[in-house]
C-alpha cells in the first residue's frame, strides 16, 4: 500500500543497477562533444576564481566559503564577479585589468529610465532575449535571477530560457540566450493557478559552469544540468542520460513543491504546499551526480522503520505547517549552514544543515504574541478581536553580516514582513528582530503606510508571493509584491537636539518609504522574479533586479544620502517628487510604473499639491528642473520637451480640485510656452533662409533692449554668448515683455538711424511676425486646452475668457503695454505698407522684393487687427471685474475706446485694398457699424471704378459683380443679424442725412424699419410719418408726436405737433377704434388740450407785447424789453426781476415756457392798456394765471407746489391796487364805491373765476391765507422748480417774497383788505348772477360777439366785462364729441 518513496527515504538514484557504470572515457558522442567544447573554452575548474563582490541577498552559495544570509555567498576581496568577461554561458577567466575595466562598465546605469528622484532610480534593462520577449506578455512564466552569476532563468510549462543580463563594456561580451526543453514538461495545464516548473541557477564547482536545477512542482521530478551550455545543444533523450535526474520522494497526493532555496554546495531546501521542508542534494559525498531528498523532521530523524514512517505520515501535527519562508544562514565550516524556517503563524525554527550528515533542529520558538503586541503598541491603535488571528508572517530576510560568530552562536537578526487582514485590504509591518536560543527580541517596527494590498478574485494569477529583499548595506528594504515594489528606509536617524524635540513632540517623521505600483492596464505587469545585486561600495548604491511579466527586466537602485544630508532630511516622500515622477515618466511608452494617484496610499492635501505644482511649473518655465536638459543642440526640441512636461503636469494634477488662480497660472505657462515655440520657429526659419554674410534679425536687438529687471542677463565669461537661446532657456516665463517690445524696438531703431522706408518695412515685418505668431499661438492654445485645464468647454470664445474674472491676476496676454503696442504696430504696419507702395516705381509693380513685402504687410494687417481686438476685449473684461471703483471706471472707458478703435481699424483695411478682409472682421466681431461702413466703402469703390474711362470689360464685369454681391450681402444681413444690422444701416443713413433713403425700398424690411424708429425716441418726428404711411397706426403716431413735442423748444412747432397729435387721436378713434380705448382717448385728448391751452396763453402774451416791440422797441435789447414790461412789479426785487427777464427772453424768442414761467410773466407783467383788447388782457391776466395753474395738474401730482404757486398768484393780485385809497369812502355814495372796487384786479379775477366755474372746486384764497408764501428758502423748496437752485438765489427770492408780504400787510392794516375781501367776493358772485339775469334776451348775440373776440385773441369762451360770461379758456371738453379741433 505504501511505497518506499512515501516513507521519506534518504536518496534515490536514476541509474539502472544492472547496467555497467560508464567512465568518462567510455562516454557517448554527447560527452565527446562536451569534451570538445571544453577544449574551446579557456575556463576550467583550475583557473576559476570566485567573485570579489561582497555578500548580498539573493546570491547562491559557492564552494567552501562562509555563506551570507538568504543564500548569499560570503565572498572575499580576492574574488571577482563571475559575470564579467564572458561571451557565452560558460564562466571564463580574464586578466585582472580586464576584470577591473568591466567592473567599472557594469557600474554605469544602463537602460531606459522609468522614474527617478533623489532617493532611487528605476531603469529598464535592455538585455532581454528575443525568445523571452515573445512570451513576456503571453503565456505564464516565472523566473529566478542569480546576481552573482549575472544570469537569469525563466521557466514556462515546456522550456527554460537562460540568458546573461550583466554585460561588460564591449559588445563582444553580449551572449545569445539558451533555451532548454524540459525533459518532463507539464502535460496538463488547467488554468492560471497551475504551478509552473521551478528553476534555479547555481554555480557548479565541479564543471566550473552555470548549472540549472528544475523541479516539476506537481510530480516532484528533478532535472539537474551541470552545464547549461551543454544541455542546450543535445536532445531530450541525451539530456536524461546526462546529469542527475530523479524525484522528490515522499510527496503526498495533491502535495506540490512551492519554492527552491539554495543551501550548502550542491544542496537545496524545498518547501511543499503541505508545509513540509525537504533537503535535496544533487551530488553524493564523492561529488558524483546523484539526486537525494530528505524531509526535515522536528525529531531530527532522517529515516526509520516501516512503522516509524507510518507514524510520521499520520502525525501531521509534527510537520505539517503553513510555511511562510525559508532562508539559509551563513556557512559554518565547509559544508554546514543554518536554515531558518518561519511559519505564517509566527513559529521560528533554526536548523543546522549538512550535505551528508544529519539535519538538526537547533531550536523552535513561537513569536506571534510578541510580534502582535509590539505591533499594536507601535501603531497606537486598537485592532479588532480577529486581528491577532488574521496576522500572518509573509516573508523575512536575514540581515547581511560578515561576522559568522553570531550565527555560530545561534543568533540571527531578521527583518520580518507581517500582514494583518482588515476587511478587503491588508496592512503590512516590517519587524526588525533577533532570535537566539529560542527567544525573540524585537528591536524596531516599521509600519508600511505607503502600500496596502487588496484582495483578488479566484482566477487572478499571482506570479510571485510577497518577498523581502535586503541588499547591502541593509539601509533599505525592498518589499516585492505581485503588483508593486515598496522601498522602506532602515537607516537610523542620528540623535540630535532637533530630532529629540521632534520625538518628544511626536512630530518625528517616519523613515522614508515609497511604493512603486506596476501598470495594470494595457498590458498588465507582474513581478515574476527578483534578487538583490552586489553592493557597489564605490557609489554607495544598493540595487535590486526584477523580472516583470509583460515588461522584461528592471532595476531599482537606491541612491546614497548626499553629503551633508541626514536620514531625517530624506525621511518623507514629498508631493513635489511624486508629481515630478508622474509628469516626467508617467506617459512614457510602455512605462513600467503606474503613477495614478488612485492606486497609491500616499495622500496629498490640496494646498500642498498646489504649492508643489506651481514649483514644478516654475522649474519647467525657467529650465531649472533636473529632468529636462537646460542646453540642447536643438532649441526647438528643448522647448518641445518643456511643453510636453507642462501638458503632463496639468494632466496629472487635474485629478484634484485646484483653485481657479492655480489653473490659470498653469494655463498661462502653457500659453507662454506655445508662444515661445512659435517665435523660435519663425526666428529659426528666418536664419535658415538667410546667407551667412547677411544674417540679421530683429529678435536679438529686441531682447538686448529689454531691461535687466525683465530678463536674466547672460554671462559671456561663462560662455553664454547667444542672447536668444539664453532668453528662451531662462525667461520664457516672462515672454509677455517680448510682445510690446516688438513694436518698441522698431521705434528705438528708427531713432538710431533707420530712415529708409524699405528698411523700416523689413523691421516692421519682423515685428509683425513676432506679435502675430506669439499671440495667435497663445490664444489658440487657450481655446484648445481650456477644458483640459478645468475651465469648461464654452468659457473661451475666440481666445477670450467669458467667465468671471474675480480674484484672477492680470492676464499676461493683455497687460497694458501689450494693449498699447499691438494697436500702435497695427497702425504702423498699415501706414508703412501704404507709404512703401506709394514710393514704388512702375517697374516694380509686377514683382520685386518691395512688392512681396508690401503684400505681406498688407496680408498681416487683418491678423494684427484681430489680435488688437482680442487684447482690448480681454483687458476691458478684466478691469471691469476689479473691486476698486477706479479700475471699473477705467474698464468702462476702455470699452468705449475699444469700440471706436475696432471700427476705425476695420474701416482702414480699405487703405490697403483689403475691404473683403474688413468685412470678414466686422462679421467676426458682429460690429454692425463697421460692417455698414466697410460695405459702403466697398460699394462706392466699385461704383467709382465703373466710372473710370479706361476700364476693361473684365474689370467692369468684376466691379458690377461686387456691387451686386454687396447688395445681396446687405439683404442677407437682415436675416443674419436682424435688428442690429437694421439699426446700424438706418442710423448710417440718418447720420449721412439721407432721410429720403429711409422710406425708399423698405417694403421688404418694413418690420425692421418700424422697430428701429420705435426704438429711437429722438426720431419721433420721423417715426410718426412711418406710423401713418406704412403702419396706419394713428395712436402710435399720436404718441410719437406727443413724445416729439416734449423735446421741442419752439413754441409754434410744439403747438403744431400737439395739434397733429390731437388729429391723430381723433383719427384713431374714428378709423382704428381698436388702437385706443375710449376712456384713454378722452384723457389723452384732454391732456393735449391742456398743453395747447398753455401754448395759447403764451401766444396771447406774445401778441400783447409784440405791437409794442415793433412800434416802440424795434432793435432794442433785452434791457429795453424789461423796462417796458417787467420793471414796475420787480422794482427792488432782484430775484424776481431775474426770473422775469429770463422768461421774457424766451417769450420774445418763441421758446417754450414752462407753466410757472407763464405765471410769472402774467403776474409780474407791467400793464399799460391802450386798446380795448389790451384792456381785456390786462383785466384777465391773474385769472389766466390761475387757469394755467389748473392746466398743470399740480393739484393732483404735486400738491405743495400747487399751493405755493396759488398763494403767489393771489398775493400778487391783491397788491396790484391801492387799498388805502379805496378804503377812503368818506363823502362817496355806494355807486362810486361799487364802481371803484369793481375796477380792482381782485374783483375782476373773482368775477372771471365765478363766470368760468374755476371756483366751483377750489375756493378763492383770502389775504391771511397767502401771507408768508415763499418768504423762506425752505418754503420755496416745496416747489420742484427751485430744487437744485443755489442758496444765494433762494435767499434773494425769499426776500422778494417778503417784500410782497410787507405790501400785503400794509393793505390789510391801512386799507382793511381783510374786511373788504369778503364783501368783494360776494359782490363778484352777485354781479355774475345779475348779469346773467339782465342779459338773457341778448345772450345769444353777445355770446357770438364774445366768441369772435376770443378767436382773435386765441382764447376760447373768454370772460370778463359786462358782455363776457361763462367763458372757457382752456377748451376742456366733457365728451369727445365736443372737441374743437380749431387751434386758433
Amino acid at each position: 500500500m505504501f511505497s518506499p518513496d512515501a516513507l521519506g527515504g534518504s536518496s534515490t538514484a536514476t541509474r539502472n543497477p544492472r547496467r555497467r557504470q560508464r567512465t568518462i572515457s567510455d562516454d557517448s558522442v554527447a560527452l565527446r562533444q562536451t569534451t570538445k567544447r571544453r577544449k574551446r573554452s579557456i575556463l576550467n575548474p583550475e583557473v576559476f576564481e570566485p567573485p570579489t563582490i561582497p555578500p548580498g541577498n539573493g546570491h547562491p552559495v559557492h564552494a567552501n566559503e562562509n555563506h551570507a544570509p538568504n543564500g548569499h555567498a560570503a565572498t572575499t576581496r580576492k574574488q571577482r564577479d563571475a559575470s564579467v568577461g564572458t561571451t557565452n554561458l560558460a564562466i571564463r577567466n580574464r586578466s585582472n585589468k580586464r576584470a577591473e575595466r568591466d567592473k567599472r562598465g557594469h557600474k554605469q546605469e544602463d537602460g531606459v529610465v522609468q522614474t527617478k528622484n533623489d532617493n532611487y532610480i528605476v531603469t529598464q534593462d535592455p538585455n532581454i532575449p528575443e525568445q523571452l520577449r515573445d512570451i513576456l506578455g503571453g503565456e505564464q512564466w516565472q523566473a529566478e535571477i542569480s546576481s552573482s552569476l549575472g544570469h537569469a532563468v525563466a521557466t514556462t510549462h515546456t522550456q527554460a530560457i537562460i540568458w546573461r543580463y550583466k554585460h561588460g563594456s564591449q559588445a563582444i561580451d553580449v551572449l545569445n540566450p539558451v533555451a532548454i526543453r524540459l525533459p518532463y514538461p507539464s502535460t496538463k495545464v488547467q488554468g492560471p493557478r497551475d504551478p509552473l516548473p521551478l528553476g534555479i541557477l547555481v554555480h557548479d564547482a565541479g564543471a566550473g559552469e552555470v548549472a540549472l536545477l528544475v523541479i516539476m512542482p506537481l510530480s516532484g521530478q528533478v532535472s539537474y544540468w551541470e552545464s547549461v551550455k551543454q544541455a542546450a545543444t543535445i536532445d531530450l533523450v541525451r539530456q536524461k542520460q546526462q546529469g542527475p535526474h530523479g524525484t522528490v520522494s515522499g510527496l503526498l497526493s495533491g502535495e506540490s513543491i512551492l519554492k527552491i532555496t539554495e543551501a550548502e554546495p550542491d544542496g537545496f531546501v524545498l518547501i511543499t504546499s503541505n508545509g513540509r521542508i525537504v533537503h535535496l542534494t544533487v551530488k553524493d559525498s564523492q561529488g558524483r551526480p546523484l539526486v537525494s531528498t530528505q524531509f526535515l523532521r522536528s525529531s531530527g530523524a532522517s529515516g526509520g522503520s516501516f512503522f516509524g514512517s507510518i507514524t510520521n505520515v499520520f502525525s501531521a501535527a509534527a510537520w505539517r505547517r503553513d510555511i511562510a519562508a525559508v532562508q539559509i544562514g551563513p556557512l559554518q565550516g565547509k559544508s554546514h549552514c543554518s536554515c531558518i524556517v518561519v511559519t505564517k503563524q509566527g513559529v521560528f525554527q533554526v536548523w543546522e544543515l549538512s550535505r551528508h550528515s544529519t539535519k538538526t533542529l537547533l531550536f523552535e520558538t513561537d513569536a506571534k504574541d510578541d510580534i502582535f503586541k509590539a505591533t499594536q503598541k507601535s501603531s497606537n491603535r486598537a485592532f479588532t478581536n480577529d486581528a491577532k488571528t488574521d496576522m500572518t508572517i509573509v516573508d523575512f530576510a536575514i540581515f547581511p553580516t560578515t561576522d559568522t560568530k553570531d550565527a555560530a552562536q545561534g543568533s540571527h537578526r531578521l527583518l520580518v514582513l507581517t500582514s494583518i487582514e482588515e476587511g478587503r485590504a491588508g496592512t503590512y509591518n516590517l519587524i526588525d528582530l533577533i532570535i537566539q536560543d529560542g527567544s525573540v527580541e524585537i528591536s524596531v517596527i516599521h509600519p508600511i503606510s505607503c502600500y496596502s494590498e487588496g484582495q483578488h478574485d479566484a482566477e487572478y494569477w499571482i506570479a510571485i508571493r510577497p518577498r523581502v529583499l535586503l541588499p547591502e548595506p541593509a539601509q533599505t528594504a525592498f518589499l516585492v509584491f505581485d503588483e508593486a515594489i515598496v522601498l522602506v528606509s532602515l537607516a537610523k536617524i542620528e540623535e540630535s537636539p532637533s530630532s529629540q524635540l521632534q520625538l518628544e513632540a511626536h512630530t518625528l517623521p517616519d523613515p522614508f518609504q515609497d511604493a512603486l505600483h506596476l501598470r495594470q492596464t494595457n498590458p498588465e505587469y507582474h513581478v515574476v522574479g527578483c534578487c538583490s545585486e552586489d553592493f557597489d561600495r564605490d557609489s554607495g548604491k544598493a540595487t535590486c533586479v526584477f523580472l516583470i511579466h509583460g515588461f522584461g527586466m528592471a532595476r531599482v537602485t537606491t541612491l546614497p544620502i548626499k553629503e551633508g544630508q541626514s536620514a531625517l532630511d530624506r525621511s518623507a516622500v514629498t508631493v513635489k517628487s511624486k508629481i515630478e515622477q508622474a509628469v516626467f515618466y508617467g506617459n512614457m511608452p510602455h512605462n513600467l510604473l503606474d503613477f495614478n494617484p488612485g492606486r497609491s496610499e500616499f495622500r496629498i492635501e490640496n494646498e500642498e499639491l498646489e504649492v508643489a505644482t506651481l514649483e514644478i511649473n516654475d522649474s519647467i518655465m525657467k529650465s531649472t528642473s533636473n529632468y529636462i536638459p537646460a542646453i540642447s543642440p536643438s532649441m526647438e526640441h528643448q522647448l518641445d520637451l518643456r511643453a510636453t512636461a507642462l501638458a503632463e503636469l496639468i494632466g496629472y494634477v487635474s485629478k484634484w480640485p485646484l483653485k481657479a488662480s492655480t489653473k490659470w497660472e498653469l494655463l498661462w505657462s502653457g500659453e507662454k510656452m506655445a508662444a515661445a515655440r512659435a517665435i523660435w520657429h519663425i526666428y529659426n526659419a528666418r536664419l535658415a533662409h538667410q546667407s551667412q554674410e547677411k544674417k540679421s534679425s530683429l529678435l536679438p536687438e529686441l531682447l538686448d533692449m529689454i531691461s535687466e529687471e525683465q530678463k536674466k542677463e547672460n554671462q559671456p565669461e561663462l560662455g553664454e554668448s547667444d542672447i536668444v537661446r539664453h532668453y528662451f532657456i531662462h525667461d520664457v516665463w516672462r515672454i509677455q515683455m517680448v510682445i510690446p517690445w516688438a513694436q518698441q524696438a522698431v521705434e528705438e531703431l528708427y531713432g538710431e538711424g533707420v530712415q529708409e522706408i524699405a528698411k523700416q518695412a523689413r523691421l516692421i515685418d519682423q515685428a509683425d511676425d513676432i506679435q502675430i505668431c506669439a499671440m495667435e499661438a497663445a490664444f489658440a492654445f487657450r481655446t484648445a486646452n481650456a477644458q483640459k485645464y478645468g475651465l469648461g468647454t464654452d468659457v473661451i470664445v475666440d481666445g477670450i475668457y467669458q467667465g468671471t474674472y474675480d480674484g484672477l491676476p492680470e492676464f499676461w496676454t493683455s497687460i497694458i503695454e501689450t494693449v498699447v503696442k499691438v494697436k500702435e504696430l497695427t497702425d504702423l504696419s498699415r501706414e508703412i505698407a501704404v507709404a512703401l507702395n506709394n514710393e514704388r516705381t512702375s517697374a516694380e509693380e509686377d514683382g520685386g522684393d518691395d512688392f512681396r513685402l508690401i503684400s505681406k504687410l498688407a496680408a498681416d494687417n487683418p491678423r494684427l487687427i484681430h489680435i488688437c481686438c482680442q487684447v482690448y476685449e480681454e483687458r476691458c473684461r478684466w478691469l471691469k471685474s476689479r473691486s476698486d471703483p477706479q479700475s471699473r471706471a477705467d474698464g468702462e472707458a476702455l470699452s468705449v475706446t475699444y469700440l471706436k478703435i475696432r471700427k476705425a481699424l476695420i474701416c482702414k483695411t480699405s487703405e490697403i485694398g483689403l475691404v473683403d478682409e474688413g468685412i470678414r472682421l466686422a462679421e467676426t466681431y458682429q460690429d454692425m457699424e463697421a460692417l455698414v461702413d466697410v460695405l459702403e466703402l466697398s460699394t462706392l469703390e466699385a461704383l467709382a471704378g465703373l466710372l473710370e474711362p479706361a476700364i476693361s470689360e473684365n474689370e467692369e464685369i468684376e466691379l458690377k459683380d461686387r456691387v451686386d454681391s454687396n447688395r445681396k450681402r446687405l439683404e442677407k444681413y437682415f436675416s443674419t443679424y436682424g435688428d442690429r444690422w437694421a439699426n446700424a444701416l438706418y442710423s448710417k443713413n440718418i447720420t449721412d442725412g439721407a432721410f429720403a433713403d429711409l422710406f425708399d425700398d423698405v417694403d421688404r424690411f418694413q418690420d425692421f424699419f418700424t422697430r428701429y424708429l420705435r426704438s429711437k425716441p429722438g426720431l419721433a418726428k420721423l417715426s410718426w410719418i412711418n406710423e401713418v404711411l406704412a403702419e396706419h397706426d394713428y395712436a402710435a403716431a399720436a404718441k410719437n408726436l406727443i413724445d416729439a413735442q416734449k423735446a421741442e423748444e419752439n413754441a409754434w412747432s410744439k403747438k403744431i405737433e400737439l395739434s397733429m397729435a390731437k388729429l391723430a387721436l381723433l383719427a384713431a378713434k374714428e378709423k382704428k377704434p381698436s388702437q385706443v380705448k375710449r376712456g384713454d382717448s378722452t384723457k389723452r385728448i384732454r391732456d393735449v388740450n391742456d398743453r395747447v391751452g398753455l401754448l395759447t396763453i403764451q401766444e396771447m402774451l406774445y401778441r400783447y407785447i409784440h405791437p409794442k416791440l415793433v412800434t416802440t422797441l424795434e432793435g432794442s435789447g433785452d434791457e429795453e424789453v424789461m423796462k417796458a414790461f417787467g420793471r414796475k412789479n420787480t422794482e427792488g426785487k432782484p430775484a424776481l426781476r431775474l426770473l422775469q427777464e429770463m422768461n421774457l427772453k424766451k417769450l420774445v424768442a418763441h421758446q417754450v415756457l414752462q407753466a410757472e414761467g407763464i405765471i410769472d410773466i402774467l403776474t409780474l407783467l407791467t400793464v399799460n392798456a391802450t386798446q380795448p383788447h389790451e384792456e381785456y388782457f390786462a383785466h384777465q391776466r391773474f385769472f389766466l394765471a390761475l387757469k394755467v395753474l389748473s392746466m398743470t395738474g399740480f393739484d393732483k401730482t404735486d400738491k405743495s407746489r400747487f399751493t405755493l404757486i396759488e398763494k403767489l398768484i393771489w398775493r400778487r393780485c391783491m397788491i396790484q391796487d391801492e387799498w388805502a385809497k379805496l378804503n377812503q369812502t368818506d363823502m362817496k355814495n355806494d355807486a362810486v364805491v361799487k364802481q371803484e372796487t369793481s375796477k380792482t384786479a381782485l374783483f375782476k379775477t373773482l368775477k372771471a373765476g365765478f363766470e368760468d366755474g374755476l371756483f366751483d372746486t377750489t375756493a378763492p384764497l383770502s389775504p391771511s391765507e397767502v401771507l408768508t408764501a415763499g418768504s423762506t428758502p425752505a418754503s420755496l423748496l416745496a416747489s420742484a422748480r427751485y430744487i437744485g437752485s443755489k442758496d444765494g438765489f433762494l435767499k434773494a427770492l425769499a426776500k422778494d417774497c417778503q417784500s410782497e408780504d410787507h405790501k400785503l400787510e400794509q393793505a390789510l392794516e391801512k386799507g382793511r383788505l381783510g374786511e373788504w375781501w369778503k364783501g368783494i367776493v360776494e359782490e363778484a358772485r352777485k354781479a355774475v348772477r345779475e348779469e346773467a339775469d339782465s342779459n338773457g334776451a341778448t345772450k345769444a348775440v353777445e355770446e357770438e360777439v364774445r366768441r369772435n373776440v376770443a378767436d382773435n385773441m386765441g382764447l376760447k369762451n373768454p370772460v370778463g366785462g359786462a358782455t363776457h360770461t361763462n367763458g372757457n379758456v382752456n377748451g376742456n371738453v366733457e365728451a369727445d364729441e365736443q372737441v374743437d379741433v380749431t387751434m386758433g
Side-chain angles (χ1 to χ4, degrees), residues 1209-1253:
I1209 294 172
W1210 280 110
R1211 184 171 64 191
R1212 291 171 185 172
C1213 176
M1214 293 175 183
I1215 63 176
Q1216 287 300 304
D1217 297 292
E1218 298 292 336
W1219 290 100
K1221 293 181 179 180
L1222 291 173
N1223 188 47
Q1224 296 175 3
T1225 58
D1226 53 322
M1227 302 302 292
K1228 295 180 181 179
N1229 58 26
D1230 289 344
V1232 174
V1233 174
K1234 184 176 180 180
Q1235 183 180 11
E1236 290 178 350
T1237 56
S1238 65
K1239 292 180 180 181
T1240 62
L1242 178 60
F1243 178 84
K1244 294 181 183 296
T1245 301
L1246 288 169
K1247 185 173 181 290
F1250 286 128
E1251 288 178 342
D1252 184 71

Side-chain angles (χ1 to χ4, degrees), residues 16 46 81 220 257 261 317-318 325 478 488 537 710 783 827 928 986 1053 1130 1203 1236 1247 1285 1289 1295 1326 1364:
N16 187 338
E46 287 74 21
D81 191 342
I257 309 300
T261 303
F478 289 72
V488 181
R537 297 187 181 278
Q710 297 171 343
T783 302
D827 288 332
M928 298 299 103
Y986 297 140
S1053 298
T1130 59
T1203 302
E1236 290 178 350
K1247 185 173 181 290
S1285 300
F1289 173 76
K1295 187 175 181 181
K1326 178 181 177 182
H1364 297 86

Side-chain angles (χ1 to χ4, degrees), residues 735-806:
I735 201 169
Q736 64 269 19
M737 299 312 303
V738 172
I739 312 304
W741 268 101
Q743 191 276 338
Q744 185 64 33
V746 173
E747 290 188 1
E748 296 289 337
L749 293 174
Y750 279 10
E752 293 177 6
V754 179
Q755 300 297 328
E756 295 182 19
I757 293 181
K759 291 183 179 180
Q760 292 176 355
R762 294 186 187 96
L763 289 175
I764 293 172
D765 176 48
Q766 295 185 55
D768 286 354
D769 287 343
I770 292 173
Q771 284 195 357
I772 289 172
C773 73
M775 298 303 290
E776 285 185 347
F779 284 121
F781 182 92
R782 183 183 299 172
T783 302
N785 295 276
Q787 185 174 8
K788 181 179 179 180
Y789 283 80
L791 299 176
T793 56
D794 301 325
V795 296
I796 305 294
V797 177
D798 192 31
I800 307 302
Y801 181 53
Q802 305 297 313
T804 176
Y805 286 68
D806 294 342

